[in-house]
Amino acid sequence: MRKIDLCLSSEGAEVILATSSDEKHPPENMIDGNPETFWTTTGMFPQEFIICFHKHVRIERLVIQSYFVRTLRIEKSTSKEPVDFEPWIERDLVHTEGQLQNEEIMITEPRGGSVIPMLHRLPINIPKLQHFRYFQ
C-alpha cells in the first residue's frame, strides 16, 4: 500500500503558529514537500509550532529531519481551536555535531495506528527544522 505524507500543504496541512520566522526560511517550508527548503528559527529556545490537519487522520509513522534538536515533544488536541493540548510523544534526540538528524517514530497503537486529532503543538529546542512528516 502506498504511504501518504499527511504533513504536506498539498494534503491540506497548515502551519497556524510558529514562535519564530525568518523571511528566507519561513515555517511553511516544513510542509512544502521540497527537500531543499527548511524552517530556521532565531536560535532562542524553546521553539514551537502548530500544524493543523483540518480533519482527523490515522498516523503510523513520524519522520523528523532537523539540526541541533535536543528534545522533541509533540502534543495533540481534538479541539477545532488551538487549545486543550495533551502530551503525546516526547523524545530526546541524539546530538549529531551539526549533521542532519533523521528521527523516525513508529506509532504502535491498538488496532494498527493512532487516530490523531486536527491540531498538533510541537514545543522543541530547534534552530533549523528540515522537514516534519506524518505517514498514513
Side-chain angles (χ1 to χ4, degrees):
M1 180 192 329
R2 181 178 157 270
K3 299 293 182 188
I4 299 169
D5 187 346
L6 299 170
C7 203
L8 290 174
S9 53
S10 62
E11 291 292 329
E14 180 182 8
V15 177
I16 62 169
L17 176 133
T19 54
S20 179
S21 187
D22 178 274
E23 188 177 297
K24 293 180 182 177
H25 307 288
E28 292 76 20
N29 285 357
M30 290 183 287
I31 60 172
D32 68 2
N34 181 346
E36 301 299 316
T37 64
F38 54 89
W39 170 47
T40 190
T41 70
T42 60
M44 302 296 290
F45 298 108
Q47 295 295 326
E48 182 173 292
F49 59 91
I50 298 176
I51 295 175
C52 181
F53 293 101
H54 300 290
K55 64 181 178 179
H56 284 82
V57 294
R58 182 174 296 277
I59 305 299
E60 295 176 357
R61 179 172 60 120
L62 303 174
V63 176
I64 299 100
Q65 295 175 319
S66 57
Y67 291 89
F68 304 110
V69 174
R70 295 181 194 143
T71 302
L72 173 71
R73 186 174 72 232
I74 303 174
E75 299 174 351
K76 62 183 180 176
S77 171
T78 56
S79 174
K80 291 185 179 186
E81 300 298 322
V83 296
D84 301 326
F85 286 92
E86 60 185 69
W88 186 45
I89 295 170
E90 185 163 346
R91 290 270 169 93
D92 290 327
L93 302 186
V94 175
H95 180 68
T96 58
E97 290 295 328
Q99 299 298 312
L100 182 66
Q101 294 168 295
N102 285 296
E103 186 73 17
E104 183 171 325
I105 301 170
M106 300 303 291
I107 308 302
T108 55
E109 298 285 332
R111 291 175 274 155
S114 178
V115 175
I116 304 305
M118 299 187 319
L119 297 166
H120 288 254
R121 180 171 62 188
L122 292 103
I124 55 179
N125 295 330
I126 181 169
K128 181 177 174 183
L129 186 68
Q130 192 80 14
H131 289 282
F132 189 84
R133 303 178 340 210
Y134 289 138
F135 289 92
Q136 180 178 37

